[in-house]
Amino acid sequence: MAGEIKCNNCGLDNKPGAILCEVCSEPLEVTVGASVPIIASSSAAHTPASAVGIIGRACGLVVGGNVIDREFELPKDDFGFTIGRTDLDQGIIPDVDLTKFAEKVKIGQDVGYTVSRKQAIIIRRMGRLYLRAIGGAKTMIKPQNTDWKELLKDQEEEILVGSRFRFGGSEGYVIFEVV
Amino acid sequence: MQVELTLGQRYLPITDEAEVIFLLRLLRDSQKQSADLALDLRKILDRSGSMDEPADGGLTRIQALKAAVNESLSLLRQGKDRLCIVVFDDTMKVILDPTIVGDINAIKKLIDGVRTGGSTNLSNPLRYTLEDVKPMDGSLPKIIIFTDGNVNAPSAAAEERACLELARQANRLGIPFAVFGTGIDYNEKFLKNMAEVAGHGSYFEHVKQVGAMRLRLEDEMENLKSVQDLDVRIGITAEPVVEILEAFKYVPQQLALPVSGKIVKDEFPGLDVRGQAYLIKTKVHAGKAVGDFKIATIALSWQGVAGAGVKSMNVVVNFTADEKLISPVDKTVRNTVLNTEGTKATLSGQYNRAQTLFTTSGNTGMAKKVETLAKSDEDAKRTLRTVTVTEANKGIIGKKGAK
């Protein structure tokens, strides 16, 4: 029948629309794409994602003012990811691990790190990408053609091609640029 | 409130039967202020003998808990929020009657004075916070429970029954629980069940390091302060030829919702910065229908700052003979299905399957957590279960869940 999806694991023909096999529960190989959500809102009209600037695909590591490497891919779907420092004791393994860039610093009587375990999150919402600070350590962002500014905890800023962000303090930091 | 519906596939081939999956997301309206209600926190803290065991940072569990509670007090708004603290072993002691927060240092002294004691009776303090603490008008109540042991006084079975009955009472009153357990001696299934019975956005979390309670309490308060629309109710009703196979919600944690006939219902006290998300899986007996085909009706109601809100949406797909029109499967819906199954696999100890599902969805961070923590001890496995139900689908909500 048209549209049935054969399971590569058990061979069952699954119904159109299925994502997991009805019998063996294995993921089915389906054509995947992004659809346009239906928005019902009582607020101002929604601006389509296509109307706002160019969304980046990856973040490059910046050294000496130049992008030297494609460090990590930006999310292509609505599954955002965390940026921070690994702490296995607390079960924290960020999607973008900055442990190698984190340095110990003295904060008053205590010892802290220049990168939080959960420093920031990149999320995709309504087709746009945002960087949100979620940790205590400093997160700086430089949207294209503007100055650096600090993102305070729970503040977020849209990121486009050319946006740069910096994690860490003056003792040690890392900069990424959206490419 | 902004409501967003995403269909797994909008256009499907003409067929007798199809599976239609949709994702419904509720988000705060970025143009509006928070409701700015007072918080009414009722904390129930374990001081049984086992709280003398070593915790992180060279402290005992009780010392670490006291420090965490004390440090989180600064987020309460003086003259506005209300706090009540009860400690318990086999007896209970109210160390702070329900009080509008004023002198933080005086509260800290009361917390510092807590000493550890005997065995564990949770039902008496729970009954006190539900029955003796009077409601506070225009506030968001929450009962926060922290324990490290099995409820066992006078007996485990009687005490569990009593606590579950009180959780049902909390459900009727609309007062949610945040339940935290540490160590490996407490009954995880019981505490989780208690949170599920209390409903209204209640949740259970395992805490590996007692000191991390500070972050959890702070997240809890920040989330409550960000609440915008109140008393949110949702009903999803399937059409006669549609069966609802499964329904899940994701804030504060992944939870399977009961399906009653053709209806799924949910309600929670307020929409906070995380928003809310639902995944609904249906089987449609389409009978080779052609064209637009209604699957279900979504009805929403809430109390906003500017008055009551009501919204209704139809879930409609289209069956077409034109192969070029057939939609690809929406990536977010597919990944939500895979992550939801991955979470279920983790909870049932099928770690290899969980890793495969998370990897297939591109959720490599979660796959790595399963790989790392599943090999470790029971404490780590409890952490993994909490992390998975809270974070596996973090991308579909407005903000990562409490941590």
Side-chain angles (χ1 to χ4, degrees):
Chain A
M1 194 181 290
E4 287 190 335
I5 313 148
K6 190 177 276 297
C7 174
N8 288 340
N9 187 51
C10 72
L12 182 83
D13 286 328
N14 284 270
K15 295 178 190 72
I19 291 172
L20 297 170
C21 176
E22 196 176 340
V23 167
C24 70
S25 297
E26 283 299 301
L28 298 169
E29 272 193 23
V30 292
T31 310
V32 177
S35 62
V36 179
I38 301 155
I39 311 287
S41 175
S42 54
S43 64
H46 170 63
T47 309
S50 55
V52 284
I54 304 163
I55 299 165
R57 293 173 183 276
C59 275
L61 183 63
V62 176
V63 174
N66 299 311
V67 178
I68 62 156
D69 192 15
R70 277 169 75 93
E71 187 73 8
F72 61 89
E73 298 292 317
L74 288 166
K76 297 183 188 68
D77 56 19
D78 288 0
F79 288 83
F81 52 62
T82 48
I83 300 168
R85 172 169 59 82
T86 294
D87 182 343
L88 289 180
D89 281 344
Q90 291 204 39
I92 296 171
I93 306 172
D95 299 308
V96 178
D97 188 357
L98 299 184
T99 305
K100 63 185 174 185
F101 300 111
E103 291 185 4
K104 270 189 182 175
V105 287
K106 226 173 166 194
I107 304 166
Q109 297 295 311
D110 302 323
V111 173
Y113 285 86
T114 52
V115 176
S116 298
R117 283 171 284 231
K118 294 184 175 183
Q119 169 115 16
I121 183 168
I122 294 180
I123 45 177
R124 196 178 186 101
R125 200 167 58 235
M126 309 287 187
R128 301 178 183 190
L129 282 170
Y130 298 85
L131 177 73
R132 176 186 288 148
I134 56 173
K138 191 176 265 188
T139 299
M140 303 285 288
I141 187 160
K142 183 181 179 301
Q144 203 179 25
N145 303 325
T146 63
D147 287 334
W148 287 101
K149 59 180 176 182
E150 184 174 356
L151 273 187
L152 300 175
K153 195 177 176 202
D154 286 336
Q155 277 187 344
E156 64 182 32
E157 181 84 22
E158 186 174 7
I159 52 178
L160 300 167
V161 167
S163 297
R164 286 188 173 193
F165 23 93
R166 191 175 87 185
F167 304 107
S170 54
E171 295 81 2
Y173 58 81
V174 58
I175 296 176
F176 295 100
E177 181 175 309
V178 181
V179 293
Chain B
M1 181 187 301
Q2 188 164 283
V3 185
E4 186 186 297
L5 171 69
T6 309
L7 287 159
Q9 279 177 283
R10 169 82 175 88
Y11 292 92
L12 291 149
I14 295 166
T15 180
D16 278 331
E17 275 188 5
E19 213 173 292
V20 172
I21 305 169
F22 58 93
L23 179 65
L24 181 72
R25 285 186 279 190
L26 316 181
L27 296 165
R28 289 189 349 147
D29 192 328
S30 58
Q31 310 293 317
K32 286 186 191 165
Q33 296 293 311
S34 300
D36 197 29
L37 295 184
L39 310 186
D40 174 16
L41 303 182
R42 308 169 193 184
K43 294 185 181 174
I44 301 176
L45 309 176
D46 191 341
R47 60 156 183 179
S48 60
S50 52
M51 289 293 286
D52 270 334
E53 287 182 17
D56 36 297
L59 303 174
T60 63
R61 285 177 182 167
I62 193 75
Q63 287 170 332
L65 179 63
K66 286 196 280 192
V69 172
N70 276 340
E71 285 167 26
S72 67
L73 290 176
S74 60
L75 282 182
L76 289 169
R77 295 161 295 187
Q78 294 190 21
K80 179 164 188 153
D81 297 327
R82 188 172 79 164
L83 182 64
C84 163
I85 304 176
V86 188
V87 293
F88 71 99
D89 46 15
D90 43 341
T91 60
M92 66 163 240
K93 183 179 178 188
V94 181
I95 63 164
L96 180 69
D97 287 315
T99 307
I100 302 294
V101 174
D103 184 352
I104 296 279
N105 285 329
I107 300 174
K108 284 182 179 175
K109 275 186 190 163
L110 294 170
I111 293 168
D112 286 337
V114 172
R115 300 284 174 264
T116 51
S119 49
T120 308
N121 173 296
L122 177 59
S123 61
N124 284 335
L126 201 49
R127 188 171 292 108
Y128 169 79
T129 53
L130 280 169
E131 294 178 356
D132 294 348
V133 174
K134 302 291 173 231
M136 180 185 179
D137 287 341
S139 70
L140 288 166
K142 189 135 213 169
I143 293 178
I144 297 171
I145 301 165
F146 181 93
T147 184
D148 74 340
N150 272 337
V151 292
N152 55 13
S155 76
E159 180 61 2
E160 288 187 2
R161 270 199 306 277
C163 289
L164 288 174
E165 183 48 46
L166 288 161
R168 276 187 277 277
Q169 189 177 336
N171 184 301
R172 288 192 292 275
L173 294 169
I175 302 178
F177 291 174
V179 186
F180 299 96
T182 195
I184 56 169
D185 294 332
Y186 68 85
N187 182 340
E188 186 182 7
K189 195 175 166 189
F190 160 68
L191 291 185
K192 192 166 182 285
N193 192 15
M194 200 169 73
E196 285 183 15
V197 170
H200 298 280
S202 297
Y203 62 91
F204 159 75
E205 276 197 28
H206 175 73
V207 180
K208 186 173 171 59
Q209 293 188 326
V210 183
M213 274 299 292
R214 179 177 67 85
L215 298 175
R216 285 164 166 79
L217 292 170
E218 287 177 0
D219 273 343
E220 182 63 58
M221 286 187 270
E222 293 291 2
N223 289 336
L224 286 170
K225 284 180 193 173
S226 72
V227 163
Q228 197 172 62
D229 293 315
L230 302 163
D231 192 17
V232 182
R233 291 162 196 254
I234 181 166
I236 299 165
T237 308
E239 289 295 296
V241 293
V242 177
E243 294 171 53
I244 299 180
L245 302 175
E246 283 183 297
F248 296 92
K249 68 186 285 191
Y250 295 97
V251 175
Q253 295 174 333
Q254 178 175 316
L255 179 70
L257 295 172
V259 180
S260 171
K262 293 193 176 292
I263 300 173
V264 172
K265 283 184 181 172
D266 187 40
E267 57 185 340
F268 53 95
L271 189 70
D272 63 34
V273 68
R274 295 167 295 177
Q276 184 56 276
Y278 298 93
L279 181 81
I280 312 293
K281 294 169 81 172
T282 67
K283 186 194 275 187
V284 181
H285 302 278
K288 293 192 168 55
V290 180
D292 279 353
F293 195 98
K294 186 174 165 188
I295 304 295
T297 308
I298 299 164
L300 266 163
S301 71
W302 66 91
Q303 292 294 324
V305 177
V310 179
K311 204 178 286 287
S312 172
M313 288 177 91
N314 290 332
V315 182
V316 179
V317 294
N318 186 287
F319 291 104
T320 175
D322 186 349
E323 282 189 21
K324 287 181 206 147
L325 277 181
I326 307 294
S327 321
V329 175
D330 179 84
K331 194 169 182 178
T332 300
V333 172
R334 175 178 179 261
N335 288 348
T336 304
V337 170
L338 296 174
N339 286 323
T340 302
E341 287 297 314
T343 300
K344 284 163 64 181
T346 305
L347 295 180
S348 60
Q350 299 173 64
Y351 300 122
N352 288 338
R353 173 168 163 75
Q355 272 188 66
T356 304
L357 288 160
F358 288 135
T359 304
T360 308
S361 77
N363 196 347
T364 49
M366 195 53 69
K368 200 168 154 190
K369 284 174 192 174
V370 174
E371 185 188 3
T372 310
L373 296 174
K375 287 181 202 151
S376 305
D377 56 12
E378 174 59 19
D379 199 4
K381 289 196 177 83
R382 289 184 177 200
T383 301
L384 176 63
R385 287 192 280 272
T386 283
V387 167
T388 313
V389 292
T390 311
E391 296 185 11
N393 274 300
K394 68 189 180 196
I396 55 169
I397 61 176
K399 180 194 170 192
K400 197 164 188 169
K403 191 92 316 285

